[in-house]
Amino acid sequence: MNPFRRIYAFFHKNLLTKTMAIGIILALMGTTCLVRLADIQLVNGKSMAQAAAQSRTTSVTLKARRGKILDTNGAILAQSVERYTIIGNPEQAQAFVPTTCTKQTGDNCHQINGKPVGVTGAAAVARLVAPVLGMDATELGAMLSISGQYVVLKKDVTPAVKRKISKLNLGGIVYAELSNERLYSNGSLMGSLLGGVNSDGKGVAGVEQMENRTLTGQDGYQVYQQGNSGVEIPGTMTESKEAVNGSDVTLTIDRDVQWYAEKVLHDSESKYQAAWGIAMVQDVRSGDILALADSDTVEAGSDQAKMGASRAVSETFEPGSIGKVLAMSGMLQLGLHKIDDKFTVPDTVTADGQSYKDAETHGAEHWTLAGILQQSSNVGMILAGDKMTNEQRYDFIRKFGVGQDTGLNLPGESEGVLYPADSWDARTRNTVLFGQGYTVNVMQLTNAVAVIANKGVRKPQRIIKSITDADGHVEEQKPKSEATRVIDESVASQILNAMESVSDYYSNFVKVDGYRIAAKSGTAEVAGTDGRLSSIISDYSAIIPADDPRFVITVVLKDPQGSFGGLTAGPVTAQIGEFLMQKYEVPASAPRTDAIPVTW
């Protein structure tokens, strides 16, 4: 055979073999693909589709908004506003490749000031996002370079910033979660009293803590599938529950009265060089607290506001001679004396082996019981209380609310201290007659004086006026306890009359033109920082107008220059009283014609 023919036959045979081999391989591959396709579509198609859907399914929390805190007239004191937390996905950020902007891409691309991003990965994401968040790109890049799929980039950004983030075409890499920011529009007004919330939005001090359950809403959720951009795929939502916002809390506090009380406290702190001051205003008729102020300057919602209670709530002190109102009311109620009974009062007395003296030296004065209150005589109170047992003294002090929970439930409130009568020593049994040997807070003291203004009845106090739920339903908040009679109306009237004589005594320093005032001053020696009786509490509690009581005002100053409550706390009380008369347009008082004699 021709050599060339043998060579051709060899190659032809081998080519045919190779072709057949390739054909067989292709046939096997085709068969495998068909089998795999049949398996996917006919056998495992449903389960794989479910797995794919599950991988795209996400659950998103719908944040409930915390309720507002408002004053009695509807002025907003605290509210939550729409804010967002910006979240990054580090794993996706590190795999990010920017899309160059062309006519074909339209707006679905990435650029910085019209120029390409220039880098890839976390650095590229950081360059895009940093200007919008006002952050350093290097710092942001480091945050996105960690392992994991979740990192908080920035909290409490505004809706405007959130919209800018959404336009960066970084869905699934950088996105926003709805949150709320707590705002206090009045700065330090009621700062410690309002308190604040922690990073989780939970009230941790003040009214925010006290009403946390009411103010807190219930979060909702949505379950849906999201695409590669992180956006919801239309029609894939399978489950949802709407968020229910928290209820609004309306206080009895009048923002204007609170503001003025805080202002005059700050002024008096400077004028009298006092260590601190407290002021409270209570509506006689309702028991509502219109102002509960102190001189501390604390921004509402600040760390300081979250760490402690308002001084007006937590501070306790001996009431001093204001306590004479309580003891003298008991003497009249028990029938031990009449308000015009006559006493010869020296400036010193010894009782139960203990010596006592009045604040000022004087001779043997001819005072009635009303005069003893007017002149604030400690010696006179001991003489008048001679037949009053320890148990009777204790019972009447307690009936006025001393040593008891006010029912306000304010965080940090102390009940004060009133020891049982059987634990008193020979000195304490007499000092309680003039407001020493027990302690009160300003709420207790103000409500005790309000008993006299309210014809002998002690009404429960209130600082929460109403609750308004997310649907707008308003529920008036009633005190948990009932009003109780402490003394007869006639006794209250006599004490009120005597207190008006006290006010007349201080009229050169404490007055509101056109209005009669019934008041009592107090000055008590208390322990100072050295542990000795080196500090002074000066206080003054006033009922205005005396002829038709509307308000009780109490002011307490620590270590003021001038010491006596009538000369320091008294003028501050009058300032607040004048403001109240003008604000509430209270009619002027009728002239006084029924003064009980104070001397004989």
Side-chain angles (χ1 to χ4, degrees), residues 584-599:
Y584 292 101
E585 299 180 346
V586 178
S589 295
R592 187 184 188 196
T593 60
D594 62 347
I596 296 170
V598 293
T599 61

mmCIF file of all heavy atoms in Angstrom, residues 584-599:
data_model
loop_
_atom_site.group_PDB
_atom_site.id
_atom_site.type_symbol
_atom_site.label_atom_id
_atom_site.label_comp_id
_atom_site.label_asym_id
_atom_site.label_seq_id
_atom_site.Cartn_x
_atom_site.Cartn_y
_atom_site.Cartn_z
ATOM 1 N N TYR A 584 -53.227 84.159 87.428
ATOM 2 C CA TYR A 584 -54.555 83.555 87.519
ATOM 3 C C TYR A 584 -55.669 84.584 87.742
ATOM 4 O O TYR A 584 -56.817 84.210 87.959
ATOM 5 C CB TYR A 584 -54.565 82.500 88.628
ATOM 6 C CG TYR A 584 -53.708 81.303 88.290
ATOM 7 C CD1 TYR A 584 -52.441 81.158 88.837
ATOM 8 C CD2 TYR A 584 -54.149 80.339 87.392
ATOM 9 C CE1 TYR A 584 -51.634 80.066 88.514
ATOM 10 C CE2 TYR A 584 -53.355 79.243 87.062
ATOM 11 C CZ TYR A 584 -52.100 79.115 87.629
ATOM 12 O OH TYR A 584 -51.308 78.038 87.300
ATOM 13 N N GLU A 585 -55.287 85.868 87.697
ATOM 14 C CA GLU A 585 -56.259 86.964 87.792
ATOM 15 C C GLU A 585 -57.184 86.767 88.993
ATOM 16 O O GLU A 585 -58.418 86.808 88.887
ATOM 17 C CB GLU A 585 -57.073 87.075 86.497
ATOM 18 C CG GLU A 585 -56.197 87.370 85.286
ATOM 19 C CD GLU A 585 -56.994 87.482 83.996
ATOM 20 O OE1 GLU A 585 -58.183 87.072 83.987
ATOM 21 O OE2 GLU A 585 -56.448 87.979 83.012
ATOM 22 N N VAL A 586 -56.575 86.562 90.134
ATOM 23 C CA VAL A 586 -57.325 86.333 91.375
ATOM 24 C C VAL A 586 -57.867 87.668 91.886
ATOM 25 O O VAL A 586 -57.110 88.646 91.979
ATOM 26 C CB VAL A 586 -56.417 85.682 92.439
ATOM 27 C CG1 VAL A 586 -57.180 85.490 93.751
ATOM 28 C CG2 VAL A 586 -55.882 84.345 91.925
ATOM 29 N N PRO A 587 -59.155 87.733 92.229
ATOM 30 C CA PRO A 587 -59.729 88.987 92.747
ATOM 31 C C PRO A 587 -59.027 89.439 94.027
ATOM 32 O O PRO A 587 -58.604 88.624 94.843
ATOM 33 C CB PRO A 587 -61.191 88.612 93.026
ATOM 34 C CG PRO A 587 -61.460 87.442 92.141
ATOM 35 C CD PRO A 587 -60.178 86.682 92.069
ATOM 36 N N ALA A 588 -58.928 90.750 94.197
ATOM 37 C CA ALA A 588 -58.273 91.311 95.380
ATOM 38 C C ALA A 588 -59.037 90.940 96.645
ATOM 39 O O ALA A 588 -60.245 90.666 96.621
ATOM 40 C CB ALA A 588 -58.162 92.824 95.250
ATOM 41 N N SER A 589 -58.331 90.921 97.762
ATOM 42 C CA SER A 589 -58.933 90.531 99.035
ATOM 43 C C SER A 589 -59.804 91.642 99.614
ATOM 44 O O SER A 589 -59.551 92.837 99.405
ATOM 45 C CB SER A 589 -57.840 90.201 100.054
ATOM 46 O OG SER A 589 -57.104 89.066 99.661
ATOM 47 N N ALA A 590 -60.795 91.213 100.376
ATOM 48 C CA ALA A 590 -61.579 92.155 101.174
ATOM 49 C C ALA A 590 -60.773 92.532 102.408
ATOM 50 O O ALA A 590 -59.928 91.757 102.877
ATOM 51 C CB ALA A 590 -62.907 91.514 101.577
ATOM 52 N N PRO A 591 -60.995 93.719 102.998
ATOM 53 C CA PRO A 591 -60.237 94.125 104.194
ATOM 54 C C PRO A 591 -60.454 93.143 105.348
ATOM 55 O O PRO A 591 -61.515 92.542 105.486
ATOM 56 C CB PRO A 591 -60.816 95.505 104.528
ATOM 57 C CG PRO A 591 -61.391 96.002 103.243
ATOM 58 C CD PRO A 591 -61.911 94.778 102.533
ATOM 59 N N ARG A 592 -59.455 93.006 106.183
ATOM 60 C CA ARG A 592 -59.551 92.113 107.326
ATOM 61 C C ARG A 592 -60.299 92.808 108.468
ATOM 62 O O ARG A 592 -59.951 93.942 108.851
ATOM 63 C CB ARG A 592 -58.145 91.707 107.793
ATOM 64 C CG ARG A 592 -58.167 90.632 108.878
ATOM 65 C CD ARG A 592 -56.761 90.333 109.366
ATOM 66 N NE ARG A 592 -56.761 89.184 110.271
ATOM 67 C CZ ARG A 592 -55.770 88.863 111.077
ATOM 68 N NH1 ARG A 592 -54.664 89.614 111.098
ATOM 69 N NH2 ARG A 592 -55.843 87.812 111.861
ATOM 70 N N THR A 593 -61.276 92.127 109.031
ATOM 71 C CA THR A 593 -62.093 92.722 110.107
ATOM 72 C C THR A 593 -62.250 91.815 111.325
ATOM 73 O O THR A 593 -62.860 92.220 112.311
ATOM 74 C CB THR A 593 -63.504 93.067 109.577
ATOM 75 O OG1 THR A 593 -64.132 91.861 109.103
ATOM 76 C CG2 THR A 593 -63.426 94.103 108.454
ATOM 77 N N ASP A 594 -61.719 90.602 111.259
ATOM 78 C CA ASP A 594 -61.994 89.625 112.324
ATOM 79 C C ASP A 594 -60.744 89.124 113.029
ATOM 80 O O ASP A 594 -60.698 87.996 113.513
ATOM 81 C CB ASP A 594 -62.759 88.434 111.739
ATOM 82 C CG ASP A 594 -61.944 87.701 110.670
ATOM 83 O OD1 ASP A 594 -60.917 88.248 110.222
ATOM 84 O OD2 ASP A 594 -62.337 86.578 110.287
ATOM 85 N N ALA A 595 -59.715 89.943 113.103
ATOM 86 C CA ALA A 595 -58.459 89.497 113.704
ATOM 87 C C ALA A 595 -58.649 89.107 115.168
ATOM 88 O O ALA A 595 -59.252 89.837 115.962
ATOM 89 C CB ALA A 595 -57.409 90.592 113.584
ATOM 90 N N ILE A 596 -58.133 87.955 115.521
ATOM 91 C CA ILE A 596 -58.163 87.482 116.909
ATOM 92 C C ILE A 596 -57.069 88.215 117.682
ATOM 93 O O ILE A 596 -55.938 88.341 117.200
ATOM 94 C CB ILE A 596 -57.938 85.958 116.952
ATOM 95 C CG1 ILE A 596 -59.092 85.236 116.239
ATOM 96 C CG2 ILE A 596 -57.802 85.469 118.383
ATOM 97 C CD1 ILE A 596 -58.846 83.756 116.027
ATOM 98 N N PRO A 597 -57.351 88.698 118.875
ATOM 99 C CA PRO A 597 -56.338 89.413 119.662
ATOM 100 C C PRO A 597 -55.091 88.556 119.880
ATOM 101 O O PRO A 597 -55.187 87.351 120.125
ATOM 102 C CB PRO A 597 -57.046 89.688 120.996
ATOM 103 C CG PRO A 597 -58.506 89.676 120.652
ATOM 104 C CD PRO A 597 -58.647 88.637 119.576
ATOM 105 N N VAL A 598 -53.953 89.193 119.790
ATOM 106 C CA VAL A 598 -52.686 88.478 119.989
ATOM 107 C C VAL A 598 -52.032 88.845 121.311
ATOM 108 O O VAL A 598 -51.076 88.197 121.752
ATOM 109 C CB VAL A 598 -51.713 88.744 118.817
ATOM 110 C CG1 VAL A 598 -52.239 88.141 117.540
ATOM 111 C CG2 VAL A 598 -51.446 90.234 118.661
ATOM 112 N N THR A 599 -52.539 89.871 121.959
ATOM 113 C CA THR A 599 -52.027 90.271 123.276
ATOM 114 C C THR A 599 -53.203 90.506 124.218
ATOM 115 O O THR A 599 -54.351 90.595 123.798
ATOM 116 C CB THR A 599 -51.193 91.563 123.178
ATOM 117 O OG1 THR A 599 -52.021 92.632 122.680
ATOM 118 C CG2 THR A 599 -49.984 91.380 122.281
#
